Amino acid sequence: MADHLAKRQRWIELVESELLPGLTLTSEQPHNPVVVHRYPKPWRLVGAGNYAGVFAHPSYPDRVVKVYAPGREGLEEEAEVYRRLGKHPAFSECLHVGDVYLVLRRLSGVTLYDCVRRAIPIPRQVIEDIDDALAYAVQKGLYPHDVHGKNVMMKDGRGIVVDVSDFLRKEPCSMWNDLKKAYDLLYIPPLRRVPIPEFILNAVRIGYRMWKKPARN
């Protein structure tokens, strides 16, 4: 127990004395990923979402740090989501809450977006696992939101939900149901081995957001 606490304290000190002082990231457009301008070595940028950048350190391969961009709210809400979820194989866990960051158990795998881009077949089991995970989240009083191809992953043929930052938003979100419809209607076996260029996937993403954008009176 003492070793665990000491390791945790060393990790927090590493984040706050090394990563944060050497990190610059900004949120330039609300519906696009944050922009990471610089970060210190040997830290590595794992990914960037609409709220935050995610970083890993080689000495701690089992965890990542999610740092919220200045001006972006939602850290406390995301921490509450993880508190409600507890331990579940399809979700990460929150190990520590800082002023502008969360320490999360690291998930590994390939996003469904990259599976399509790289022609890695996605078995039906992955879709069913994510369905089950989202149903579990609903049972915990949450509202699955913004669940799309870049926010879910496949690992050893099983489904994982990567981003739960919007799971306290109560308004309806049909992203996951729309993705499932596309899987059933368009993801036919002959196409599963055909790489889809990223510019096409980005065009589909932009077109989908425009289609879903509420009409103004």
Side-chain angles (χ1 to χ4, degrees), residues 22-208:
L23 174 64
T24 303
L25 73 167
T26 57
S27 176
E28 299 181 358
Q29 297 182 8
H31 295 298
N32 286 332
V34 301
V35 178
V36 179
H37 300 281
R38 68 182 180 95
Y39 56 92
K41 295 181 179 181
W43 291 89
R44 186 169 68 87
L45 176 65
V46 176
N50 290 348
Y51 299 120
V54 180
F55 303 87
H57 192 282
S59 298
Y60 296 85
D62 61 337
R63 62 193 65 187
V64 293
V65 185
K66 183 171 184 177
V67 184
Y68 271 68
R72 293 312 304 253
E73 300 178 349
L75 183 147
E76 294 83 3
E77 289 80 1
E78 184 170 0
E80 171 61 16
V81 170
Y82 279 113
R83 188 194 67 78
R84 295 190 194 184
L85 288 173
K87 290 189 176 183
H88 188 282
F91 295 104
S92 180
E93 297 172 53
C94 183
L95 307 176
H96 177 74
V97 181
D99 290 338
V100 297
Y101 69 91
L102 302 174
V103 177
L104 305 175
R105 178 174 61 85
R106 187 170 187 176
L107 299 174
S108 61
V110 183
T111 66
L112 300 198
Y113 177 93
D114 281 337
C115 285
V116 174
R117 185 176 62 86
R118 294 160 51 188
I120 302 173
I122 304 168
R124 183 73 196 182
Q125 182 64 55
V126 171
I127 305 300
E128 293 175 357
D129 287 344
I130 295 168
D131 256 349
D132 291 342
L134 299 182
Y136 167 83
V138 171
Q139 292 175 0
K140 295 296 182 178
L142 299 170
Y143 309 88
H145 197 97
D146 202 31
V147 182
H148 53 74
K150 289 186 176 182
N151 283 346
V152 289
M153 292 197 308
M154 178 175 70
K155 170 69 173 177
D156 298 328
R158 305 306 298 260
I160 302 170
V161 181
V162 180
D163 191 347
V164 299
S165 56
D166 286 324
F167 275 31
L168 286 180
R169 295 178 61 179
K170 294 184 179 181
E171 61 264 32
C173 180
S174 64
M175 278 191 178
W176 175 245
N177 286 333
D178 292 339
L179 190 151
K180 286 194 301 179
K181 290 176 183 177
Y183 179 94
D184 291 333
L185 294 174
L186 304 176
Y187 196 63
I188 57 178
L191 295 180
R192 299 183 184 190
R193 298 287 183 182
V194 178
I196 306 299
E198 191 158 15
F199 77 90
I200 293 180
L201 294 176
N202 281 331
V204 170
R205 177 181 66 86
I206 294 170
Y208 176 82

